[in-house]
Amino acid sequence: MTTVKKNNLTIYNSITKSKEKFIPINEGSVGMYVCGPTVYSNVHLGNVRTFMSFDMVFRYLKHLGYKVRYVRNITDAGHLENDEDEGEDKITKKARIEQLEPMEIVQRYTIDFHNILNTLNFLPPSIEPTATGHIVEQIEFIKAIIDNGFGYEVDGSVYFDVHKFNDTNNYGKLSKRKLEDLIHNTRALEGQSDKKNPQDFALWKKAEPQHIMRWPSPWSDGFPGWHLECSVMSTKYLGDNFDIHGGGLDLKFPHHECEIAQAEAAKGTSPVNYWMHANMLNLNGQRMSKSTGNTVNPDELLSGKNKFFSKAYSPSVIRFFNAQSSYRSVLDLTDNGLLASEKGYNKLMDAYRTLDTLEASKTSSINIDSWKKSCYDAMDDDFNSPVLIAQLFEAVKHINAITEKKETISSEDLATLKQTMHDFIFDVLGLLDSASETGNDGNKLDSAIALLIELRNNARANKDFATSDRIRDELQEAGIQLKDGKEGTTYSLN
């Protein structure tokens, strides 16, 4: 049986707008679904922020000892332009522009998505289903909705009857939008005349003759509605009622609202206990937008080949930057912010490496158990990573004080400090040591600096202080700080 660490985890539930104690449906296990990308272009940095937030949630739940089934889908069909029921399929449109088969587009950008997430040290989900791999299940789901009286067919397309559903249920319970307000604010749009009401949404769309991606169904050759895909894949792998559903704040309405309605109409039960939404990512104080040019791709941020940032940033610096803000807060991506995060990350890793050089005493002047509890308290408070990082820097202060003989730590407390730092830095936050990020390059850097340290030591021994100071100062300008201690000279990256 899975052993879960004692915790008081609370999660901000978007549907109740309050923090609630997390009680899983099945003790020791968690089912979590997160809406994945529509693979018609390179993954957007704002989407990466959302996925990174839920990667941290996944990591912390696993760290607590839960057996987590994490499902994150790939939308490879049925997602129309502007998230409406009309228009051209995004993947089909890209295939037409680039003169490729739609599945070539899907393959290209799915690979890009995986490569970026692997580079940023994401854990893979437990299951990564695709919309095209679940057409049969989606057809059966639609049949159930129709049989229960909440779907209707018009000329080969099937729509969800929002008004009829709202008569006996509450459409808008997640977004807190009232149907009468939606009716009042709805404009008459072309192409919606086959619907009973403009608020109704597509469960199945009849394919036009030129539409490439199509499948046979009882109603027509066509394709599934975008909202339907997630309802089907989440409940197939996690059950009709599961623990956590996550996604970006922009998906709350209409996507997640429609998911709830579809599941309740088909299954007669609310699908999710805890709804979680990650907030938006801005760039230099403004919303990212391809139309205005205020956008940057993840690979451009990693390589430094962009017009917004002064240098390339490592995957761990990007993760550290993201974790310095709550997942529910708007995060503003700036060069100054990343530079500050880089310094903070290097300071944290420098302190962590110093742990192996600390000398234990018979007694401790530090309450390590209290500090450890504060780390868990932070993450138990709706995954509050900024407070966790603050507590990790409290540990950095203690490590420096122990190094300077201003504080003492027992061997038992030192072991606890090392393990707790390791758990939260690497397992929960998903950071990597800078040397491991660069692989062989890290080893080469170590060797090069070791040679410079040896040359500096020789210069000092020969009282050639001009040369020894020059080596130290030029390394400092390059962002490498030398530190002289009893055990010799070490270095850290600034």
Side-chain angles (χ1 to χ4, degrees), residues 18 31 42 50 74 154 166 204 237 278 281-282 309 311 321 336 346 365 389 409 412 472 481:
S18 64
N42 297 107
T50 294
I74 296 288
V154 179
N166 194 63
W204 185 267
Y237 296 108
L281 179 69
N282 288 339
F309 301 101
K311 54 176 291 185
F321 174 79
N336 287 338
N346 287 332
S365 61
I389 289 174
I409 189 168
E412 183 179 354
R472 179 199 63 204
Q481 182 178 5

Side-chain angles (χ1 to χ4, degrees), residues 312-329:
Y313 291 99
S314 73
S316 284
V317 169
I318 296 171
R319 289 191 71 106
F320 189 75
F321 174 79
N322 186 73
Q324 285 182 293
S325 177
S326 165
Y327 76 92
R328 290 196 291 120
S329 300

Side-chain angles (χ1 to χ4, degrees), residues 155-167:
D155 191 27
S157 292
V158 182
Y159 296 97
F160 188 92
D161 194 331
V162 171
H163 288 241
K164 187 170 183 180
F165 175 80
N166 194 63
D167 288 341

Side-chain angles (χ1 to χ4, degrees), residues 60 167 440:
Y60 187 58
D167 288 341
N440 291 332

Side-chain angles (χ1 to χ4, degrees), residues 104-124:
E104 288 183 88
I105 296 297
V106 166
Q107 181 75 357
R108 172 188 296 178
Y109 293 114
T110 299
I111 290 172
D112 168 73
F113 174 66
H114 288 152
N115 286 342
I116 290 296
L117 266 56
N118 288 339
T119 299
L120 291 168
N121 197 34
F122 279 61
L123 296 178

Side-chain angles (χ1 to χ4, degrees), residues 142-202:
I142 295 170
K143 288 180 180 178
I145 293 174
I146 293 174
D147 289 345
N148 290 336
F150 297 110
Y152 59 93
E153 184 258 339
V154 179
D155 191 27
S157 292
V158 182
Y159 296 97
F160 188 92
D161 194 331
V162 171
H163 288 241
K164 187 170 183 180
F165 175 80
N166 194 63
D167 288 341
T168 54
N169 297 272
N170 179 13
Y171 182 79
K173 65 178 69 176
L174 177 63
S175 61
K176 311 306 177 191
R177 303 189 187 199
K178 295 181 179 180
L179 184 56
E180 51 266 33
D181 294 335
L182 295 174
I183 295 170
H184 178 73
N185 293 324
T186 299
R187 294 179 294 113
L189 299 176
E190 292 183 8
Q192 291 190 332
S193 58
D194 53 350
K195 296 182 184 181
K196 290 182 180 179
N197 299 284
Q199 294 76 35
D200 296 348
F201 56 88

Side-chain angles (χ1 to χ4, degrees), residues 319-358:
R319 289 191 71 106
F320 189 75
F321 174 79
N322 186 73
Q324 285 182 293
S325 177
S326 165
Y327 76 92
R328 290 196 291 120
S329 300
V330 175
L331 180 59
D332 190 22
L333 186 65
T334 66
D335 196 42
N336 287 338
L338 284 167
L339 287 169
S341 291
E342 187 174 57
K343 289 181 179 179
Y345 163 75
N346 287 332
K347 182 179 180 180
L348 179 62
M349 297 311 304
D350 187 36
Y352 176 77
R353 297 186 199 103
T354 303
L355 284 168
D356 288 332
T357 68
L358 295 183

Side-chain angles (χ1 to χ4, degrees), residues 26-42:
N26 298 305
E27 186 177 354
S29 299
V30 178
M32 181 171 76
Y33 184 88
V34 173
C35 295
T38 302
V39 282
Y40 69 99
S41 65
N42 297 107

